Amino acid sequence: MRILLTGGAGFIGSHTAVALANAGFEPVLFDNFSNADPDVIGPICELAKQSVPLCHGDIRDAKTVENVLRTYECEAVIHFAGLKAVGESVAKPLDYYDNNVNGTISLLEGMKAAGVKTLIFSSSSTVYGDPDQLPLTEASPLKPATNPYGRTKMMVEEILSDVTKSDDAFCAVCLRYFNPIGAHPSGLIGENPNGIPNNLLPYVARVASGQLASLKVFGNDYPTPDGTGVRDYIHVVDLAEGHVKALQWALGKTGWTAVNLGCGRGYSVLEVIRAFEKASGRAVPFTFAPRRDGDIAENYADATLAKTLFGWEAQLGIDEMCRDAWHFECQRQKD
Ligand code: WQD
């Protein structure tokens, strides 16, 4: 069964392509390479042990989406494509609404024309905003986003809900990711942001390898055990497996569902630094800096629904996440 992966050459898309292939699906990748490298297809095919088609195209072009869905006779779409840098979204809101919201609308038009009615969407725990209560369940209140990136995730969830109401054969599953990190244990694929990384793990990896001098820990006065921000980090290989399980569940179902994908426990920035130092055998020098605008103190998931519905649960802990991120960083530098 062929599955279209928009943003299939990106960090989570590439790992999901491998996981789908290993589960007996045939992934078809679609990407505009705005934040991904077409050369990732080599390692993907190697790890997938099959030839994986990679189409260069933009989700904002509904006709191209329709053509690719028809050509490959895809039966479902996993929709990763989108812009994802919180700070950039404040500076360039129109780019975010265009790529993430308009892009999803034209993707849905392409799917409608091709008669494809199953969609798994990359949502985010950002839809919960600053939580009143932890852990976060899917019934926790959604809060207005503090930046355009978060608003696009919220809007797309609502658009998908409306689409399932208008078409009772449509199935939309919104997967609310917590903080995906790590890399494939082979070291062949991983997260490789352009320029100076915004997110904690890629930054820490570059400090450990000596490419960046020191990490700024944003805030040490949060109401958390050590004062630094706490997040539910999830290994990207577990996350990819979550997409396979969600897809297997969604095929043949209808309606709108939102499901958390997290480990169900939080780690502070200082705990992540210590785990990374242990995994890499390198020091990660840091200094404390003021809180970053828009950051929250703490979030972590209740991941029970994913287990109940899909039979999925994260298997890998922070040590494996850091080990694999470090392995990828070392491989990346050799290239
Ligand atoms: C984690 C923790 C920071 C960098 C964001 C998006 C989310 C998702 C993932 C998409 C926080 C601290 C970070 C640094 C630091 N989106 N930190 N120094 O902000 O939880 O989530 O990325 O792709 O939707 O909101 O992730 O990795 O940026 O931060 O101290 O140099 O690390 O303050 O506590 P975040 P993050």
Side-chain angles (χ1 to χ4, degrees), residues 12 83-86 124-126 147 149-150 153 177-181 191 197-204 215-219 222 228-231 233 267-269 291-292 294-297 299:
I12 303 170
L83 301 179
K84 60 168 190 172
V86 172
S124 169
S125 64
T126 195
N147 56 72
Y149 161 77
K153 292 292 171 191
Y177 309 157
F178 281 68
N179 284 56
I181 61 169
E191 188 174 15
N198 297 307
N199 295 115
L200 180 63
L201 252 286
Y203 202 108
V204 165
L215 171 77
K216 283 197 177 89
V217 175
F218 298 136
Y222 283 112
T228 66
V230 169
R231 298 290 183 274
Y233 296 94
Y267 287 93
S268 73
V269 177
R291 293 179 179 192
R292 186 172 64 178
D295 266 358
I296 57 172
N299 84 349

Side-chain angles (χ1 to χ4, degrees), residues 108-331:
L108 289 163
E109 282 165 352
M111 288 175 67
K112 189 171 180 184
V116 177
K117 291 179 182 282
T118 304
L119 180 75
I120 312 286
F121 170 59
S122 293
S123 188
S124 169
S125 64
T126 195
V127 299
Y128 297 117
D130 195 354
D132 299 325
Q133 239 190 330
L134 291 167
L136 287 156
T137 76
E138 293 77 359
S140 298
L142 305 186
K143 300 273 190 68
T146 55
N147 56 72
Y149 161 77
R151 266 189 286 284
T152 67
K153 292 292 171 191
M154 193 86 105
M155 286 176 185
V156 170
E157 284 206 1
E158 285 171 355
I159 290 168
L160 292 175
S161 168
D162 290 337
V163 168
T164 58
K165 284 178 200 145
S166 74
D167 178 352
D168 57 17
F170 201 96
C171 180
V173 181
C174 298
L175 296 178
R176 294 177 177 161
Y177 309 157
F178 281 68
N179 284 56
I181 61 169
H184 195 274
S186 64
L188 293 175
I189 54 175
E191 188 174 15
N192 194 5
N194 295 328
I196 296 181
N198 297 307
N199 295 115
L200 180 63
L201 252 286
Y203 202 108
V204 165
R206 291 188 191 185
V207 172
S209 68
Q211 295 163 84
L212 293 170
S214 161
L215 171 77
K216 283 197 177 89
V217 175
F218 298 136
N220 63 343
D221 56 352
Y222 283 112
T224 59
D226 65 21
T228 66
V230 169
R231 298 290 183 274
D232 184 340
Y233 296 94
I234 172 170
H235 198 298
V236 65
V237 166
D238 273 332
L239 191 71
E241 198 53 40
H243 289 74
V244 174
K245 294 275 167 61
L247 175 70
Q248 287 166 333
W249 177 83
L251 290 165
K253 297 251 183 348
T254 60
W256 183 94
T257 313
V259 181
N260 289 339
L261 292 184
C263 285
R265 73 151 287 183
Y267 287 93
S268 73
V269 177
L270 296 182
E271 286 176 309
V272 171
I273 293 173
R274 276 194 289 275
F276 206 92
E277 289 185 326
K278 192 171 100 190
S280 64
R282 302 285 183 93
V284 177
F286 66 87
T287 53
F288 290 116
R291 293 179 179 192
R292 186 172 64 178
D293 267 359
D295 266 358
I296 57 172
E298 186 168 17
N299 84 349
Y300 54 90
D302 177 329
T304 312
L305 186 62
K307 189 169 183 194
T308 317
L309 287 185
F310 312 152
W312 173 89
E313 142 176 70
Q315 304 293 323
L316 302 165
I318 194 76
D319 292 335
E320 287 100 343
M321 299 179 211
C322 292
R323 176 198 68 197
D324 294 334
W326 176 242
H327 184 205
F328 178 71
E329 182 61 28
C330 296
Q331 294 300 115

Side-chain angles (χ1 to χ4, degrees), residues 14-26:
S14 57
H15 288 82
T16 303
V18 170
L20 284 169
N22 292 333
F25 291 96
E26 292 180 57

